[in-house]
Amino acid sequence: MTNAINKCSANETAACCCVDVGTVMDNSDCTASWSQWFAQRSEAEAKLASLTEKARQIESEPCQIDARFEARDNGVQLDIDFNFACQAETLIFQLGLR
């Protein structure tokens, strides 16, 4: 039988098998993507403004926001990519959307 302490990886501490934050958040994913369909373009623009304000409250450096509006059947598809300076900001933004 194998001891649980021996199953810890190099990025975990042997005392409690806790994972090092650098293992989970390594700044490799700093983009949060968001998408929604709206009946009116004005609704999509209002949502973009609201999400932009949320991103601006979190950013440490200017967040690059790439918004795309695409006309769809009876509405508009809004797709947005928020590129933050670090993965922690991305995570905070994503959690704030829940």
Side-chain angles (χ1 to χ4, degrees):
M1 182 168 171
T2 313
N3 188 335
I5 242 174
N6 294 332
K7 291 183 179 181
C8 293
S9 73
N11 293 328
E12 297 173 314
T13 61
C16 66
C17 289
C18 300
V19 177
D20 178 55
V21 173
T23 303
V24 177
M25 295 175 42
D26 61 0
N27 272 343
S28 64
D29 184 12
C30 297
T31 302
S33 297
W34 188 91
S35 183
Q36 187 172 336
W37 179 88
F38 295 90
Q40 302 290 324
R41 183 174 175 113
S42 60
E43 295 172 330
E45 290 172 348
K47 187 63 171 184
L48 173 59
S50 170
L51 292 173
T52 297
E53 177 60 27
K54 286 183 183 220
R56 298 293 179 228
Q57 293 173 358
I58 295 167
E59 67 188 7
S60 61
E61 295 180 21
C63 176
Q64 179 183 350
I65 301 171
D66 178 26
R68 298 166 306 283
F69 295 91
E70 182 181 335
R72 296 271 176 142
D73 297 333
N74 299 322
V76 175
Q77 177 75 30
L78 173 59
D79 298 306
I80 315 169
D81 291 327
F82 297 89
N83 296 302
F84 289 92
C86 68
Q87 191 171 3
E89 293 172 353
T90 306
L91 182 61
I92 292 166
F93 179 76
Q94 290 170 324
L95 290 173
L97 297 178
R98 294 182 177 198

